[in-house]
Amino acid sequence: MVFADQDDVVRLRDLIEAAGTVVIFTGAGISTESGIPDFRSPGGLWTKYQPIDFRDFMASEAMRRESWRRKFAMDRTMNTAEPNRGHRAVERLVNRGKVSAVITQNIDGLHQASGIPDEQVIELHGNTTYAKCLTCGLRHELEPIKTAFLADETMPVCTGCGSEYMKTATISFGQSMPETEMARAQRETLACDLFIAIGSSLVVYPAAGFPVMAKQNRAGMVILNREPTDLDSHADLVINGEIGPTLGDAVAVN
Ligand code: NAD
Ligand code: ZN
């Protein structure tokens, strides 16, 4: 465990109080204290499997099958995870009117579960709680897909158009970004005067472009992570510490 310097916690609190509008940007790190592994930490998902690139998903039935296997293997962890102190601190700032939007790379829905209204959460990488047909766009609930797949690995087929290109509504590496969410995230980033990047390795683009965009637009920029990131030199304040205790103390939330 890495604990933040108390002076940094006070500086963060002061920056938040002084700011008119804050945007919060989150990565997988905010959910590790809820038991969902991130990608890049020791023991993270990348030590187990390489992510499946979108082109490989489209090109190969075996890859599509493997992605459903992984999805349902992770499901128990995802479905039982609850928001932690970091999510609660963010929720408090949103519902106090301090934070206008939470831009997240996460697909776990924990910001919404913490009580932030859906319209204030911008999901850049989609959501893993339902599936979508990549051919016709039809939404599919996961329960029937899961039951059939877990019985004998039956692969889902779209009931609307018959396509076999069915996928959770998440954005894979190599897949194009959702236009509406990207535009909203940009608007929020350019309208804030403090941008706080929390628990992201800041190496997955274009998502990691937002902290720099905020900075270039003269907003203050804070990075909170237990480890250094590639963008630390752009930040006004870098706090190396665990997210829950650091944010919880800064916002006075348990
Ligand atoms: P990442 O795994 O690349 O980075 C996570 C970062 O958080 C690391 O830099 C790590 O040092 C830091 N971190 C982890 N736990 C922390 C803690 N308790 N306190 C402080 N710092 C902590 O994650 P990313 O940057 O979000 O990018 C990975 C991609 O994987 C994202 O695009 C996301 O879509 C996806 N993903 C999502 C989830 C989720 O929804 N919870 C989980 C894994 C991966
Ligand atoms: Zn379809």
Side-chain angles (χ1 to χ4, degrees):
M1 299 275 268
V2 184
F3 285 100
D5 190 302
Q6 276 309 304
D7 291 346
D8 284 345
V9 174
V10 172
R11 286 179 71 197
L12 175 59
R13 178 185 308 159
D14 291 348
L15 283 171
I16 292 171
E17 289 313 317
T21 306
V22 181
V23 162
I24 290 199
F25 174 90
T26 62
I30 198 169
S31 296
T32 56
E33 291 164 50
S34 295
I36 302 174
D38 64 8
F39 269 173
R40 291 176 181 77
S41 289
L45 291 174
W46 269 12
T47 56
K48 285 202 209 142
Y49 15 66
Q50 282 293 309
I52 297 171
D53 190 273
F54 188 61
R55 277 154 296 208
D56 297 332
F57 180 94
M58 295 303 282
S60 144
E61 199 219 63
M63 282 297 173
R64 293 195 286 279
R65 187 176 296 283
E66 174 61 15
S67 85
W68 286 110
R69 266 190 211 125
R70 291 182 189 183
K71 156 72 188 153
F72 296 130
M74 270 298 287
D75 238 22
R76 183 187 291 272
T77 308
M78 281 277 185
N79 293 344
T80 55
E82 288 181 6
N84 65 56
R85 201 173 166 208
H87 294 105
R88 288 194 289 278
V90 173
E91 183 273 335
R92 177 72 57 86
L93 290 173
V94 172
N95 286 323
R96 260 178 61 190
K98 190 52 107 170
V99 166
S100 60
V102 178
I103 304 172
T104 189
Q105 295 176 276
N106 295 344
I107 56 172
D108 55 32
L110 289 180
H111 286 301
Q112 294 91 326
S114 76
I116 300 177
D118 285 353
E119 60 275 14
Q120 280 172 287
V121 182
I122 304 174
E123 293 177 314
L124 294 181
H125 293 163
N127 179 301
T128 190
T129 59
Y130 64 97
K132 235 177 163 173
C133 169
L134 293 169
T135 306
C136 76
L138 189 66
R139 176 186 165 125
H140 293 261
E141 299 315 316
L142 284 172
E143 257 338 287
I145 296 178
K146 183 173 179 175
T147 306
F149 189 85
L150 292 183
D152 56 5
E153 289 211 340
T154 298
M155 292 287 283
V157 172
C158 178
T159 47
C161 74
S163 167
E164 59 193 276
Y165 296 100
M166 296 268 283
K167 185 173 169 297
T168 57
T170 51
I171 306 293
S172 302
F173 286 97
Q175 190 173 2
S176 54
M177 296 291 285
E179 280 172 28
T180 311
E181 281 77 4
M182 284 297 284
R184 282 179 63 210
Q186 174 162 347
R187 236 179 3 253
E188 294 288 348
T189 300
L190 294 177
C192 77
D193 42 28
L194 180 66
F195 187 101
I196 310 178
I198 300 171
S200 172
S201 55
L202 300 174
V203 295
V204 180
Y205 282 83
F210 289 109
V212 176
M213 186 188 292
K215 189 66 214 157
Q216 283 170 346
N217 195 44
R218 296 191 229 290
M221 204 265 277
V222 177
I223 295 177
L224 169 57
N225 196 305
R226 57 158 86 109
E227 288 178 359
T229 76
D230 288 358
L231 299 185
D232 285 0
S233 64
H234 295 262
D236 299 288
L237 173 64
V238 175
I239 306 183
N240 289 131
E242 301 298 313
I243 294 162
T246 307
L247 274 188
D249 286 354
V251 181
V253 161
N254 284 312

